[in-house]
Amino acid sequence: MKRNIIPIIISLLILLQVVTLARIGNLQDELQNTRDQFMNMTSLQSNQIDSIYSNIDSMLKRQSSIIDSYDYSLGTFNRESLTVPVTFNITPKETKADTLATLYVSGQSTGMTRSGTSFSATLPVNIFDVIEAKVVIADDGTERTEKLETWENLRTRVLPDIYARLERESGTIYRKTPGELSGEYRCKGNLSLEVKPVQNNTIENARFVMDVDGNIVSEKSLNTSGLWAEINESTTLSAGQTLTTSVLATDSLGLIHKVILDKFTLDENAEPVRGNEWIWMGEVVIMDGEGKILYAPQYDKVN
C-alpha cells in the first residue's frame, strides 16, 4: 500500500508544481501588462503636459510679440556671388506715421520699405550661411527688437547631395616596416558613388584620392553614374603622418565636394592611432576651384 501511495504523492507534487509555475507565469504576464499600461499612461500624460506647456509658451510669445505676421521668400541663385536673395515681409501689431523698420539677416542689415502697415526688404545670403533674422522697429525714439524664427538650408537648394561608400575587402591594412618608423598602407575594396542633383547643378566628374598631410599620393577617376569602382591603392606612411582617403567631385558650378571616406594617422612610433576611425566617414567639405574651403563641419580641420 505504501509503495502505491509514494508514486501518487510524487505525481500530485509534480502536478502542483506545474499548476504553480503556470500561475506564476500568468501573474508575470499580468504584471508586465500592468507595467506596459502604466508606462503608456505615463507617456501619454507627459505628452499632454508637454503639449499644454508648448501651447502656453506659444501664446505668451505671441502676446509679447511686436509682430502680427511675417513671411519670407527666396529669389534666384547668383552663381557669381554664391548668394540667394531672401525677402522678408512683416506686419507689426502697431504702426505710427513715423514708424521705421530695419531688417538684419546673417550679419547684414537694411532699411525696410513701407507699404501701408507692412514692411519688406531683401538681402543676399550666402548659401553656406545660416539664415538668422531679426527686425528692429523704431517709433517715437523707441526701438523694439524681435527675432524672426526662420530655418532654411540654402545649400540643399543649390548644391547636389553626394554619397560615397567604400566597402573594404579586409578592412584597413597597414604593415609597419620592421626596424623603421614607417609602413605600408593599403586601401582595397569597392567604392560606390551616388549623386542626387538639383536643378541646373549636378556632378560632372569625380575621382578617388589618397593624400598624405594634404599632398595627393594616389588618385583614380570615377564613374559619376553611381556604378561600383574597384579600389586597390597603397602608399608608404611615416611616423606622425595622416592619410586621408576621399572622393573629390566637381559640380556644374565648379565647386569641389570632398567626401571623406577615412582618416588614418600614425603616432610617433609609426603605430596606428586608434579611437577616431569613424568620426570622419561621410563628412563633406566644399571648396572652390582653387581649393579654398567654403564649407566644412564645425569640428573639421581639413585643409
Side-chain angles (χ1 to χ4, degrees):
M1 184 68 178
K2 291 183 178 179
R3 291 180 179 179
N4 295 331
I5 292 177
I6 292 175
I8 294 173
I9 293 175
I10 293 175
S11 298
L12 289 174
L13 289 175
I14 293 174
L15 179 61
L16 287 174
Q17 187 177 22
V18 171
V19 172
T20 301
L21 291 175
R23 289 183 176 180
I24 291 174
N26 291 334
L27 288 174
Q28 288 178 333
D29 291 339
E30 291 178 4
L31 179 60
Q32 184 62 48
N33 290 334
T34 302
R35 287 177 177 174
D36 292 342
Q37 291 176 4
F38 176 75
M39 292 300 295
N40 290 335
M41 290 176 61
T42 302
S43 177
L44 178 61
Q45 188 177 45
S46 177
N47 291 335
Q48 290 175 340
I49 293 173
D50 289 342
S51 177
I52 292 172
Y53 276 121
S54 178
N55 290 335
I56 293 175
D57 184 59
S58 178
M59 290 174 60
L60 291 175
K61 285 183 178 180
R62 183 164 181 79
Q63 288 178 358
S64 63
S65 174
I66 61 175
I67 304 296
D68 180 63
S69 63
Y70 73 91
D71 60 56
Y72 70 95
S73 59
L74 306 179
T76 303
F77 171 62
N78 187 314
R79 295 180 57 139
E80 299 299 323
S81 61
L82 298 180
T83 60
V84 173
V86 182
T87 300
F88 277 85
N89 301 290
I90 68 164
T91 301
K93 286 183 177 179
E94 297 179 358
T95 57
K96 299 179 181 179
D98 62 344
T99 298
L100 299 175
T102 304
L103 176 68
Y104 294 79
V105 180
S106 304
Q108 307 173 79
S109 64
T110 185
M112 304 188 76
T113 302
R114 181 168 181 167
S115 177
T117 58
S118 299
F119 297 82
S120 65
T122 302
L123 282 171
V125 179
N126 190 281
I127 60 173
F128 301 110
D129 288 341
V130 176
I131 298 181
E132 295 180 342
K134 67 178 181 180
V135 63
V136 176
I137 297 178
D139 51 38
D140 293 337
T142 301
E143 291 187 348
R144 293 169 294 170
T145 302
E146 182 160 329
K147 182 179 180 180
L148 305 178
E149 295 184 1
T150 59
W151 170 251
E152 192 76 40
N153 189 345
L154 297 178
R155 266 191 311 119
T156 61
R157 288 178 170 265
V158 177
L159 303 181
D161 280 334
I162 307 170
Y163 302 91
R165 178 182 178 85
L166 179 61
E167 294 188 358
R168 295 177 175 84
E169 290 186 2
S170 55
T172 299
I173 301 175
Y174 170 73
R175 291 187 178 87
K176 182 179 178 181
T177 304
E180 297 185 14
L181 294 178
S182 62
E184 183 188 56
Y185 172 96
R186 178 173 294 279
C187 184
K188 185 177 181 180
N190 293 317
L191 175 66
S192 64
L193 182 66
E194 180 183 354
V195 177
K196 293 185 177 180
V198 295
Q199 187 176 12
N200 300 323
N201 195 2
T202 187
I203 295 302
E204 297 188 346
N205 62 78
R207 53 198 171 114
F208 170 80
V209 172
M210 291 172 56
D211 71 73
V212 177
D213 294 339
N215 299 312
I216 295 177
V217 296
S218 178
E219 59 183 295
K220 175 184 178 69
S221 295
L222 299 174
N223 188 333
T224 58
S225 64
L227 300 177
W228 290 84
E230 292 186 0
I231 302 297
N232 188 2
E233 305 289 333
S234 63
T235 190
T236 299
L237 280 179
S238 299
Q241 290 185 324
T242 296
L243 181 142
T244 302
T245 55
S246 60
V247 170
L248 295 185
T250 304
D251 66 20
S252 304
L253 300 175
L255 300 181
I256 301 172
H257 302 243
K258 184 174 184 178
V259 185
I260 300 175
L261 302 171
D262 190 21
K263 283 195 170 186
F264 186 83
T265 301
L266 296 183
D267 62 18
E268 64 275 9
N269 298 314
E271 296 291 343
V273 176
R274 301 298 184 185
N276 62 346
E277 289 86 352
W278 303 100
I279 190 171
W280 305 102
M281 292 182 64
E283 295 294 358
V284 179
V285 176
I286 300 176
M287 304 172 287
D288 63 16
E290 303 299 322
K292 177 183 176 182
I293 293 178
L294 303 175
Y295 167 81
Q298 292 294 319
Y299 53 84
D300 207 312
K301 297 182 180 179
V302 177
N303 294 318

